[in-house]
Amino acid sequence: MKTSYVFSQLVSVALDRNHFNYLVRKYEGDKYVKHFTCWNQLLVMMFGQLCNRESLRDLTNAVAAHQKKCYHLGFGKHVSKTNLAYANSNRDYLIFEEYAYYLIAEARKKRATDIFQLGGNVYAFDSTTIDLCLSVFWWAKFRKHKGGIKVHTLYDVETQVPAFFHITEAAVHDSKVMSVIPYETGSYYVFDRGYNDFKQLYRIEEIGSYFVIRAKKNLQYRVLKLKRRMPENVLSDAEIELTGYYPSKHYPKRLRLVRYHDPEQNRDFMFLTNAMSLTSLQIANLYKNRWQVELFFKWLKQHLKIKKFWGASENAVRIQIYCAICAYCLVAIAQHDLKLEISTYETLQILGISLTDTTPLQELLSKTNLQNIKDQDPPNGQLFINF
């Protein structure tokens, strides 16, 4: 029996076409469409992400080179630069956004683990800015002569999969997006200094969740209770109340202030948290793991196409970002289901040159000679670690 193409095998492992068809019907994505459907569009876009195409023309040329395989790859027979550009500009991006969330939920469910053993999920929230040419992406004005967008991401540290993302213009301040985060009771949220919005932090307190945030140097507070006998590298651990006019009104309850010296960086950090039951070292460790979201952004920009866009409209940009996240989840699900021991970079490198091969997927990714393939990420930057 002839084995299907590697790309088709990946799709069959990770993608649920029935759910995607439901979303297409919901948003009437295929209304009046005769040939190049939303499903064809999704697969072509994900194919371009996995094989690292540079532009829309580059992508359609790559597809044209495999014209006889298009039907079996799921692309249909009418892939052209015009068709793809029109589809990206005019089809509702919500189809791809909701499907990306569906794949995120599937990946998180499969990769569920409890590393920190805190009784709740641990999330890191941050944003990354993608620079755009203002003369082309006129709708994404950032500064006078510069354009850009921000991708705000709530990253599940334990499953190493993003749980929520929100795309805004680059001019939007990070803290303004805290109000749209889908908070969960009993979970832990880790923020950097730019998110010192005490009104939003108190909202986390009110729903029974916890936060760890790096405090600003000009924080005004009064010490109420100071702990003795600090662990190694913990400089102080105190219960405090805020004394600034607006901070004290927005956050009237007690907080905990932990000062920690990081011997690796030879730097002192100051953390604010409402997690009174955790040890000071646990709080420092939670903040240290916030770096995982930075590694996710780095990985996404280096290995998938979200810095160079294949369309100029806002709709096309959003669809490309959502398709990149779908490709990310595709690899995450495949790595879990196939129990792969190789790194993410190695997986993508093999897939990028093998999408139209007919080698069985398990054999391709587990028995391939990897002696000359070196991971370009730093040792602590590995994503999709099998815990």
Side-chain angles (χ1 to χ4, degrees):
M1 181 177 178
K2 185 178 179 181
T3 307
S4 57
Y5 298 116
V6 167
F7 182 73
S8 301
Q9 294 176 61
L10 272 174
V11 169
S12 64
V13 165
L15 300 189
D16 184 344
R17 185 169 182 176
N18 290 330
H19 187 77
F20 186 79
N21 288 342
Y22 159 74
L23 295 174
V24 172
R25 291 193 299 271
K26 177 181 176 180
Y27 293 102
E28 298 184 335
D30 284 343
K31 191 174 183 180
Y32 307 123
V33 175
K34 294 182 179 180
H35 302 295
F36 190 64
T37 66
C38 289
W39 179 252
N40 300 146
Q41 179 186 1
L42 173 70
L43 296 190
V44 170
M45 293 292 287
M46 291 180 68
F47 181 86
Q49 292 287 347
L50 293 173
C51 64
N52 208 27
R53 296 298 94 192
E54 292 291 334
S55 64
L56 197 66
R57 185 178 297 279
D58 186 20
L59 172 56
T60 52
N61 286 343
V63 172
H66 300 287
Q67 188 65 42
K68 293 182 180 179
K69 303 175 183 178
C70 282
Y71 175 80
H72 297 287
L73 289 169
F75 301 161
K77 297 181 179 180
H78 299 273
V79 182
S80 67
K81 184 173 179 290
T82 303
N83 284 349
L84 189 55
Y86 180 85
N88 286 344
S89 295
N90 293 280
R91 289 177 183 168
D92 199 331
Y93 71 84
L94 291 174
I95 298 171
F96 303 90
E97 180 184 38
E98 290 195 20
Y99 196 60
Y101 274 121
Y102 172 78
L103 289 180
I104 283 171
E106 290 296 304
R108 291 183 64 205
K109 183 169 63 177
K110 288 177 178 288
R111 301 176 61 83
T113 184
D114 191 11
I115 303 169
F116 296 98
Q117 298 182 344
L118 297 176
N121 294 322
V122 178
Y123 298 104
F125 189 75
D126 209 343
S127 69
T128 184
T129 301
I130 301 172
D131 294 329
L132 300 173
C133 176
L134 189 58
S135 62
V136 177
F137 301 90
W138 54 269
W139 48 269
K141 188 172 183 179
F142 180 23
R143 297 193 177 100
K144 186 174 182 180
H145 301 293
K146 187 177 182 180
I149 58 173
K150 273 186 181 179
V151 181
H152 306 266
T153 304
L154 185 68
Y155 187 74
D156 189 331
V157 176
E158 293 179 308
T159 64
Q160 299 185 342
V161 174
F164 169 78
F165 44 88
H166 184 65
I167 301 172
T168 66
E169 294 178 1
V172 175
H173 193 271
D174 289 346
S175 63
K176 300 297 182 184
V177 186
M178 292 176 73
S179 60
V180 302
I181 298 175
Y183 296 109
E184 301 171 358
T185 301
S187 292
Y188 294 78
Y189 297 87
V190 187
F191 303 96
D192 202 8
R193 266 192 309 209
Y195 296 92
N196 274 267
D197 185 331
F198 289 104
K199 183 182 290 186
Q200 293 301 325
L201 292 175
Y202 192 63
R203 179 186 168 202
I204 299 175
E205 165 74 28
E206 286 185 310
I207 66 170
S209 295
Y210 307 95
F211 61 83
V212 175
I213 186 169
R214 188 177 168 194
K216 291 185 176 181
K217 293 181 179 179
N218 62 351
L219 180 71
Q220 296 177 334
Y221 63 92
R222 180 186 300 113
V223 176
L224 302 176
K225 185 178 179 182
L226 192 64
K227 287 189 178 182
R228 308 294 181 185
R229 297 181 181 179
M230 295 296 98
E232 185 179 3
N233 297 320
V234 176
L235 305 178
S236 66
D237 187 352
E239 286 187 23
I240 66 166
E241 64 178 8
L242 302 175
T243 58
Y245 180 76
Y246 287 108
S248 61
K249 286 187 175 295
H250 293 158
Y251 204 106
K253 289 190 176 181
R254 292 186 176 190
L255 280 167
R256 187 175 173 190
L257 183 67
V258 176
R259 295 177 183 271
Y260 176 77
H261 176 74
D262 186 348
E264 295 179 6
Q265 302 182 51
N266 194 27
R267 292 176 59 192
D268 293 344
F269 293 90
M270 191 165 63
F271 306 128
L272 274 177
T273 181
N274 64 336
M276 301 298 184
S277 61
L278 299 187
T279 67
S280 50
L281 289 178
Q282 282 179 308
I283 291 169
N285 188 45
L286 283 175
Y287 184 82
K288 185 176 182 180
N289 278 276
R290 190 199 69 83
W291 188 246
Q292 291 293 327
V293 70
E294 303 285 357
L295 294 174
F296 167 72
F297 291 143
K298 176 185 175 184
W299 190 94
L300 206 63
K301 287 182 174 181
Q302 283 184 347
H303 305 310
L304 295 176
K305 290 298 172 186
I306 64 165
K307 292 179 73 176
K308 295 182 179 179
F309 290 98
W310 304 334
S313 69
E314 182 178 1
N315 198 75
V317 168
R318 286 179 176 272
I319 287 177
Q320 185 170 334
I321 292 174
Y322 298 139
C323 288
I325 293 171
C326 287
Y328 180 90
C329 292
L330 183 76
V331 176
I333 293 171
Q335 282 205 317
H336 174 272
D337 289 353
L338 298 175
K339 297 180 172 59
L340 302 181
E341 297 179 356
I342 58 177
S343 73
T344 316
Y345 177 74
E346 290 169 337
T347 304
L348 274 178
Q349 193 173 26
I350 297 167
L351 290 176
I353 60 174
S354 310
L355 292 175
T356 56
D357 288 354
T358 55
T359 310
L361 198 57
Q362 184 75 56
E363 179 183 340
L364 177 72
L365 295 174
S366 61
K367 295 184 180 180
T368 304
N369 184 355
L370 301 174
Q371 295 295 326
N372 297 321
I373 298 179
K374 298 183 184 293
D375 197 328
Q376 295 182 358
D377 290 330
N380 65 344
Q382 298 296 325
L383 298 177
F384 304 147
I385 301 170
N386 292 320
F387 297 106

